[in-house]
Amino acid sequence: ATSVSQLLLSNRHDSPEGHKAQCILKIGYLLRTDEPNRQPAANLSLHWQRPDSIFEVEMMPATKIPVVHQNVPFRVAVDKAFWPKIVTDRLQALPSIQAHPSPHPVLLGNV
């Protein structure tokens, strides 16, 4: 039998413990292609949803990132690592995910 603490640890996204994927998300800037705007920054927040849960986890509160209007050299404004649980049994996923066939053998969730 799996203890409650082991089950909770296996579902955490902020710990590399157990059988998990490593994801690194790097965001540099928001590239706008419309008319130039006077706002030099935009707010970005990050949420992640597991494929077997209806709930989202806030991984990063609103953070300012630069807004640019032309391609510029990439500099990291946001660097976030997380370790989602790997779901290999589609029957463990939400019914809406089960209803849509996917060529991917594993599910990690949505950012």
Side-chain angles (χ1 to χ4, degrees):
T2 303
S3 72
V4 173
S5 63
Q6 288 174 329
L7 183 61
L8 289 174
L9 185 60
S10 73
N11 286 329
R12 291 184 63 113
H13 70 280
D14 58 350
S15 168
E17 301 294 323
H19 183 65
K20 298 182 181 177
Q22 179 182 17
C23 296
I24 300 173
L25 182 63
K26 294 181 184 230
I27 299 172
Y29 51 81
L30 172 65
L31 177 61
R32 292 190 60 157
T33 58
D34 59 354
E35 299 263 334
N37 186 323
R38 292 184 204 180
Q39 293 184 335
N43 285 325
L44 172 78
S45 60
L46 226 46
H47 298 266
W48 170 67
Q49 180 185 9
R50 291 182 7 203
D52 58 351
S53 174
I54 62 170
F55 301 105
E56 290 184 351
V57 175
E58 181 181 52
M59 296 192 322
M60 183 184 77
T63 302
K64 289 196 180 295
I65 63 167
V67 174
V68 298
H69 297 280
Q70 60 186 0
N71 285 327
V72 296
F74 184 80
R75 279 193 259 166
V76 176
V78 172
D79 188 353
K80 182 70 181 168
F82 61 105
W83 297 266
K85 179 174 94 171
I86 299 170
V87 176
T88 56
D89 183 357
R90 292 191 70 80
L91 296 177
Q92 292 178 353
L94 294 174
S96 61
I97 295 173
Q98 292 177 22
H100 299 290
S102 170
H104 307 292
V106 298
L107 302 170
L108 301 177
N110 297 313
V111 174

